[in-house]
Amino acid sequence: MMAQQILLVEDDREIARIIKDTLIKEGYAVIWATTGIEGLEDFFSGNYDLILVDWMMPEMDGLSMIEHIRLQSDVPIIMISAKSKETDKVTGLQDADDYLAKPFSLEELKARVRSQLRRWQRYNKVFAADEMVSYEHGLKIDWVKERIYIEEDEVNLTQKEFALLKVLAQNPFELFTKEALYTLVWHQVELDQTHTVTVHIKALREKLHDPVKSPNYIQTIWGKGYRFIGEQV
Amino acid sequence: MMAQQILLVEDDREIARIIKDTLIKEGYAVIWATTGIEGLEDFFSGNYDLILVDWMMPEMDGLSMIEHIRLQSDVPIIMISAKSKETDKVTGLQDADDYLAKPFSLEELKARVRSQLRRWQRYNKVFAADEMVSYEHGLKIDWVKERIYIEEDEVNLTQKEFALLKVLAQNPFELFTKEALYTLVWHQVELDQTHTVTVHIKALREKLHDPVKSPNYIQTIWGKGYRFIGEQV
DNA sequence: GGATAAAATATAAAGGATTTATAAAGTTAC
DNA sequence: GTAACTTTATAAATCCTTTATATTTTATCC
């Protein structure tokens, strides 16, 4: 397995050395830049899994650097700063994913790096492999194989039905208007295709044995849209 | 993976189509409103992660629309405008989170949308981490999922009921006249719609099992209005 | 302070408008 | 030709508003 690459942007030589040593011992590949400008150049010419950046630096501070990166990448960024006020934390977290106030322990550093890398991996994977999700009242969904079961019996969904269920079930409890569902499932700009959605919802409910009145899975929010309310087991 | 919903408020059909098309291809659900009024209605009856709004529009311009929204939500708002003067930008950024001067490239549009959505996710992670608010006497409100519980049992509120409760409960102990409630919930200025408010208050009280005489949640201030008096647990 | 009138709110019920569910007939694509 | 999808038409459900009436509170007068 390729070592994960970390870009460290820190002007203080001493601190940089400590961080670098720590992370290398953890098995990461660490590249060190001393200014924001240099960090940007390194970032765009390399392939990094995580960025550690100091807030206060000469030339270009960490915040501006992050803004630039964020226009083009969602790579995890951890901001390091001597500022520890709550308001600073909020500002820092605008574009960064995590915030580390100086002084910090090396254990905390390692933990946060690990956590962000894990999140990044999860984010990059479309679905977790062999992920079978079970819900109350007998529904099971295998997202990888795209198979649906009700009480152990497989139900065959059509393309649209599956796509609908996917949007809904992967965003549980989130309300979707019919228009939103249409653009998400059909990927088209059409007005007033809401009837199509309604009809597919009905078909889906039927196949899931989901009663309209007291639903286990797809709930109608009157005047607004639909949402998935299945609780995972 | 997370399906994100964007509300586009733009009166120009052509521009709207291009923007909508671009964002749908990026995988967002895009709902198009042609006026500020329509946009407001859509916003308050839907569940949006971002709003793109044109400054200049008939009926209600983008600025006024934003002001209304900001009374009740921190959703990211990007203002689109033909005005490119620095002072306009400052005005536009008063309540909006970002400003896009026409003409803009679609790449820039996508980048700014991405950036704002990321900020929003982060914000929600930090501030809305524990989303369930509990009050004395058994009321629990999940503002994110928009679910209400009384003693563990979910109660289904209608749109107006929920909107009313939201205004009241998110401003505890603040007195609202019926007229104020009407404009906040109905987004219209009508005279003498106070009866409508009264009736909805009654329905809400019933669903919350809140006695009129010795209320736990909604108190009548005779001759003045209503206020929410629930104490958080 | 108590009775009474006036004002405001609470309650109940009906009507209408809107939205969704359902059924069935077309249309498209393989 | 069949299955999936879309469109259309109709039925059913839900919510909002309005209206009417009852009740409660406040104000006023004696």
Side-chain angles (χ1 to χ4, degrees), chain A residues 1-8 23 27-31 42-44 46-52 69-70 73-78 97 112-124:
Chain A
M1 183 170 169
M2 263 259 292
Q4 292 177 298
Q5 302 197 47
I6 297 176
L7 178 60
L8 168 65
L23 294 177
Y28 303 115
V30 183
I31 308 300
D42 283 346
F43 177 75
F44 286 114
N47 179 31
Y48 294 92
D49 299 290
L50 185 143
I51 301 179
L52 268 167
I69 290 178
R70 276 291 178 249
S73 168
D74 288 324
V75 66
I77 301 178
I78 301 178
D97 296 281
R112 289 189 186 269
V113 165
R114 232 181 297 127
S115 157
Q116 287 300 324
L117 283 171
R118 212 170 24 230
R119 190 186 62 79
W120 182 236
Q121 271 192 315
R122 224 179 7 231
Y123 180 86
N124 278 333

Side-chain angles (χ1 to χ4, degrees), chain A residues 70-71 74 93-97 126 171 173-176 179-180 183-184 188-189 222-224 227, chain B residues 1-3 5 20-21 24 27 29-31 45 47 114 118-119 122 127 145-147 154 156 159:
Chain A
R70 276 291 178 249
L71 288 175
D74 288 324
L93 278 171
Q94 292 230 317
D95 282 312
D97 296 281
V126 181
N171 299 278
F173 299 102
E174 186 172 340
L175 169 72
F176 291 92
E179 288 81 1
T183 72
L184 285 168
Q188 288 177 39
V189 187
W222 214 90
K224 291 188 173 179
R227 65 175 182 177
Chain B
M1 268 109 297
M2 271 271 285
Q5 308 191 45
K20 202 176 165 187
D21 220 27
I24 286 177
V30 184
I31 309 304
S45 65
N47 175 34
R114 231 184 299 129
R118 200 164 33 228
R119 188 186 64 77
R122 201 142 299 127
F127 292 100
K145 294 175 186 163
E146 303 205 345
R147 300 182 106 184
E154 183 168 5
N156 286 309
Q159 279 188 64

Side-chain angles (χ1 to χ4, degrees), chain A residues 127-170:
Chain A
F127 308 117
D130 66 59
E131 188 72 80
M132 172 83 92
V133 186
S134 297
Y135 297 91
E136 288 180 355
H137 306 101
L139 173 65
K140 283 185 197 165
I141 305 179
D142 184 334
W143 292 115
V144 179
K145 295 178 185 154
E146 304 206 343
R147 289 182 163 188
I148 314 286
Y149 304 86
I150 295 283
E151 311 283 7
E152 314 304 327
D153 296 329
E154 182 168 2
V155 286
N156 287 309
L157 299 187
T158 69
Q159 234 175 293
K160 299 293 184 199
E161 287 159 8
F162 184 82
L164 258 180
L165 180 60
K166 188 166 164 183
V167 169
L168 290 168
Q170 294 201 336

Side-chain angles (χ1 to χ4, degrees), chain B residues 40 62-72 77 95:
Chain B
L40 270 184
L63 272 187
S64 339
M65 185 191 154
I66 291 182
E67 277 171 25
H68 273 261
I69 289 179
R70 275 289 175 259
L71 290 175
Q72 295 177 56
I77 301 178
D95 282 314

